[in-house]
Amino acid sequence: MEVKLFGVNIVDLYNYNLDKAYNFVKDNTDYLVDISIDEVKDINFSATKDIIVLLRDGTVIINGKKNLNNIKSLAFMSGFSIFAISNDHVIICLTGNDEVSNYINNDNCKYRKIIVTPLVIVALTTDGDIRLFGTLCDQVVDYKLYFDLDDIGYVEDNDDIVVIKEGKVFSLFHQHDYSNEKPDVLVEGPLDDLEIIGE
């Protein structure tokens, strides 16, 4: 069944850039009264017709009501799973069910590092363990790569999330064998469809 928000298919809204999303919200609601586009960092739409706005000052507005502050970014996994990531690296589920929220929030765990892609969130705890959330299609994970890690990162050449353990680099999803290589591992910063939020 097609879900529409103000006459527009919700799936189409997922792909709106910031300018188009801002104008859509401004034209159809009063949520952005007295808020210029320069103050807006991100806008997401949920499958349940929620409008989630992140302001540059870290405030999150959901359906016109200020909901959170101290937020660094939004992570859109699907219309059913949208997360806020705070400046102190706590992952807060804005949509979805309690089990998902409890698992990835992990009692308001302040993660050491978080990698966000359109398909997966990989979060490294201060104890060196990781938690995953997302869509893992045709991929496998070696459970030994969940524990006692030094760091996590991304190898752009192979479009691969990696873990660093005892000074060695391993492909988390077994997409590439790094046993005879020393890849260039990115450990911080945003890329086109990926963000690394770290210390």
Side-chain angles (χ1 to χ4, degrees):
M1 183 174 91
E2 183 179 61
V3 176
K4 290 190 175 186
L5 180 62
F6 303 113
V8 178
N9 186 315
I10 201 77
V11 175
D12 293 337
L13 291 173
Y14 298 162
N15 298 314
Y16 276 20
N17 65 27
L18 182 59
D19 287 339
K20 197 168 179 181
Y22 175 85
N23 289 326
F24 178 81
V25 174
K26 189 96 170 154
D27 291 345
N28 292 290
T29 73
D30 60 0
Y31 301 167
L32 296 174
V33 171
D34 299 325
I35 298 174
S36 73
I37 192 161
D38 295 335
E39 297 173 80
V40 177
K41 186 172 183 181
D42 199 1
I43 298 175
N44 285 186
F45 303 94
S46 80
T48 54
K49 302 183 183 180
D50 295 308
I51 298 173
I52 302 166
V53 179
L54 172 61
L55 302 181
R56 293 195 183 280
D57 70 1
T59 302
V60 171
I61 300 169
I62 301 177
N63 300 327
K65 294 182 179 142
K66 290 186 179 178
N67 191 278
L68 298 168
N69 56 28
N70 191 36
I71 299 301
K72 181 179 187 78
S73 66
L74 297 178
F76 179 90
M77 305 304 294
S78 73
F80 294 103
S81 301
I82 302 172
F83 301 90
I85 300 173
S86 72
N87 285 310
D88 51 358
H89 307 156
V90 175
I91 301 172
I92 302 145
C93 190
L94 300 177
T95 62
N97 63 40
D98 290 339
E99 290 81 22
V100 168
S101 179
N102 291 338
Y103 175 78
I104 199 69
N105 177 264
N106 196 15
D107 293 323
N108 288 321
C109 175
K110 293 181 179 179
Y111 289 103
R112 207 167 92 200
K113 186 173 287 181
I114 302 166
I115 297 177
V116 178
T117 77
L119 297 177
V120 68
I121 295 175
V122 179
L124 178 66
T125 68
T126 54
D127 295 332
D129 301 336
I130 59 171
R131 286 186 171 238
L132 299 176
F133 174 84
T135 305
L136 302 173
C137 298
D138 299 329
Q139 294 177 330
V140 295
V141 178
D142 181 347
Y143 77 93
K144 293 186 293 277
L145 300 180
Y146 270 56
F147 307 105
D148 301 320
L149 303 175
D150 303 326
D151 205 350
I152 58 177
Y154 178 72
V155 175
E156 192 171 10
D157 291 342
N158 297 322
D159 187 26
D160 193 16
I161 295 174
V162 296
V163 298
I164 302 167
K165 187 171 184 171
E166 298 173 357
K168 296 178 183 173
V169 176
F170 300 94
S171 173
L172 181 60
F173 301 119
H174 291 279
Q175 294 178 334
H176 194 82
D177 180 4
Y178 295 103
S179 57
N180 294 318
E181 296 180 39
K182 288 204 166 205
D184 184 18
V185 179
L186 299 171
V187 291
E188 62 182 322
L191 294 167
D192 283 342
D193 275 339
L194 177 132
E195 183 176 15
I196 302 173
I197 301 164
E199 303 157 298

